[in-house]
Amino acid sequence: MGVDLTRQTMARWVVKCAEACLPVWNILCDRLLDSFYVSCDETYTQVLKEPGRKAESKSWMWVRCVPTGANKIILFDYDSHRSAEVAKKLLSGFKGFLQVDGYASYNILEKDMELIRIGCNMHGRRYFEKALKIGAKSGQTLAEVALRFYKRLYDHEEELRALPPDERYKLRQEVQVPIWEEFKSWAEDNHSKVPPKSKIGEAFKYFHSEYAYLTGYLQDGRLEMDNGFAERAIRSFAIGRNNWMFADSEAGAHASAMFYSLLCTAKINNVNIYESIKHLFNEIPKAKTIEDYERLADIIMGIIPLP
């Protein structure tokens, strides 16, 4: 249109638009916390102007997801810390299954909250893959055996992909439980034979410490074997970060979290991203009641079609 807009002006518009979208985001957040199953992950980000912190300090973008069902949710949350208190704040009120990796900040949640923690087999397998690629030769041989166990589990999981939850649960008990028991017995026999600080030693340590969580998905046919959904969701942020590198302010980081939430939720539900955000911006100034905002959240989630 031939109008010269400064970067500062455009950035301020993005922040103000994000603030206007907050009621819709709050509804998505309430729905996520009311669900039976949430997956969670986090990745670093950088914010140049955070009170009391250096510009090069690491901050964090957390992602919370509802990974199953017809209408999924992906929410991003910026925080300057990666502590257990942040995890507790983000998941306050949640009482279902929580799928996370072995990061220590999640440990407090089991003690203080009514949730069931399950683990991520992508992380468990990754330790053995690392031992195979860069570990000692003796450790590589053991890593190959572990990865064959994981292949059997993942191959069977793929066969169950299209089945309803009750059938997945039944077949997992029949096929995967014996594989896990064999896997555990083999790991116990070999763990003491390797140096604890070797790559294969680290893999065994993770496997043993996380075993109850790694097998947690067997409790319900609706649960996934790993946290891949959250990792794929957070990858979109990581790709963007490679281009824009940092946020200038905390307000900008929160705005970024807002729009990653809305855009990723729309995309995962096969909703047209451009049209849904355009509709959101047109309708938010008219919204007066909770029902108005719920309808906008329904559109982002693909529950009702765009008008």
Side-chain angles (χ1 to χ4, degrees):
M1 296 175 66
V3 178
D4 184 24
L5 298 172
T6 67
R7 185 182 184 88
Q8 184 178 13
T9 295
M10 289 189 286
R12 186 172 67 251
W13 287 359
V14 171
V15 170
K16 291 297 182 183
C17 287
E19 292 171 356
C21 293
L22 187 58
V24 176
W25 188 93
N26 285 337
I27 290 170
L28 295 176
C29 183
D30 289 343
R31 292 177 180 180
L32 178 140
L33 294 174
D34 285 340
S35 69
F36 83 97
Y37 175 27
V38 166
S39 58
C40 190
D41 201 3
E42 66 287 328
T43 189
Y44 73 89
T45 189
Q46 185 180 2
V47 180
L48 299 185
K49 299 172 184 174
E50 289 178 301
R53 307 185 82 213
K54 295 180 179 180
E56 60 270 23
S57 300
K58 268 189 178 181
S59 295
W60 298 91
M61 192 64 76
W62 297 67
V63 64
R64 297 173 293 163
C65 308
V66 177
T68 59
N71 307 102
K72 301 174 177 63
I73 299 173
I74 298 174
L75 295 181
F76 287 80
D77 299 89
Y78 154 76
D79 200 282
S80 57
H81 297 287
R82 197 189 182 194
S83 67
E85 289 306 312
V86 178
K88 190 174 178 180
K89 176 185 67 176
L90 294 176
L91 294 161
S92 177
F94 175 67
K95 296 183 179 181
F97 289 96
L98 174 67
Q99 189 160 41
V100 293
D101 57 31
Y103 184 52
S105 285
Y106 295 113
N107 294 341
I108 192 175
L109 303 184
E110 291 179 284
K111 301 175 183 177
D112 296 354
M113 300 172 67
E114 299 177 47
L115 53 78
I116 302 170
R117 177 179 167 186
I118 63 174
C120 173
N121 280 291
M122 286 178 69
H123 281 77
R125 183 175 61 180
R126 212 169 278 156
Y127 275 90
F128 288 110
E129 289 173 340
K130 189 178 293 185
L132 178 63
K133 291 178 181 178
I134 61 175
K137 189 172 182 180
S138 58
Q140 291 175 351
T141 302
L142 291 170
E144 286 180 347
V145 177
L147 291 173
R148 284 199 291 271
F149 278 114
Y150 264 122
K151 186 176 188 307
R152 289 166 62 190
L153 290 163
Y154 270 99
D155 284 350
H156 186 254
E157 190 66 15
E158 192 59 34
E159 293 174 8
L160 308 182
R161 184 63 57 193
L163 297 180
D166 56 342
E167 290 187 43
R168 289 178 77 188
Y169 173 80
K170 179 175 179 293
L171 290 170
R172 281 172 172 173
Q173 301 304 308
E174 294 175 0
V175 177
Q176 294 188 28
V177 168
I179 297 174
W180 276 111
E181 290 173 349
E182 183 184 355
F183 194 178
K184 183 182 180 184
S185 178
W186 169 83
E188 288 173 345
D189 289 343
N190 288 279
H191 189 185
S192 61
K193 300 176 184 178
V194 302
K197 293 185 179 181
S198 65
K199 294 301 179 185
I200 191 65
E202 291 175 355
F204 278 134
K205 180 181 178 181
Y206 187 90
F207 180 84
H208 284 297
S209 63
E210 290 287 308
Y211 182 80
Y213 303 128
L214 295 176
T215 56
Y217 73 100
L218 298 170
Q219 299 174 66
D220 194 303
R222 297 170 294 177
L223 303 176
E224 295 297 329
M225 188 174 168
D226 58 43
N227 208 17
F229 187 91
E231 289 201 7
R232 289 188 293 274
I234 216 163
R235 191 175 300 146
S236 60
F237 179 85
I239 291 170
R241 182 183 59 208
N242 290 339
N243 293 304
W244 43 258
M245 298 181 67
F246 51 78
D248 183 60
S249 65
E250 288 185 320
H254 284 298
S256 181
M258 170 65 72
F259 287 116
Y260 270 101
S261 299
L262 298 175
L263 297 172
C264 289
T265 297
K267 183 177 181 180
I268 200 64
N269 290 302
N270 297 313
V271 177
N272 184 293
I273 293 175
Y274 174 78
E275 293 297 335
S276 62
I277 296 300
K278 178 181 174 183
H279 178 76
L280 185 66
F281 286 168
N282 281 328
E283 295 301 316
I284 277 216
K286 307 173 191 174
K288 304 297 181 185
T289 66
I290 186 64
E291 289 76 16
D292 295 334
Y293 292 114
E294 286 180 339
R295 178 177 174 80
L296 292 173
D298 287 344
I299 289 173
I300 295 294
M301 291 180 62
I303 295 172
I304 59 176
L306 280 160

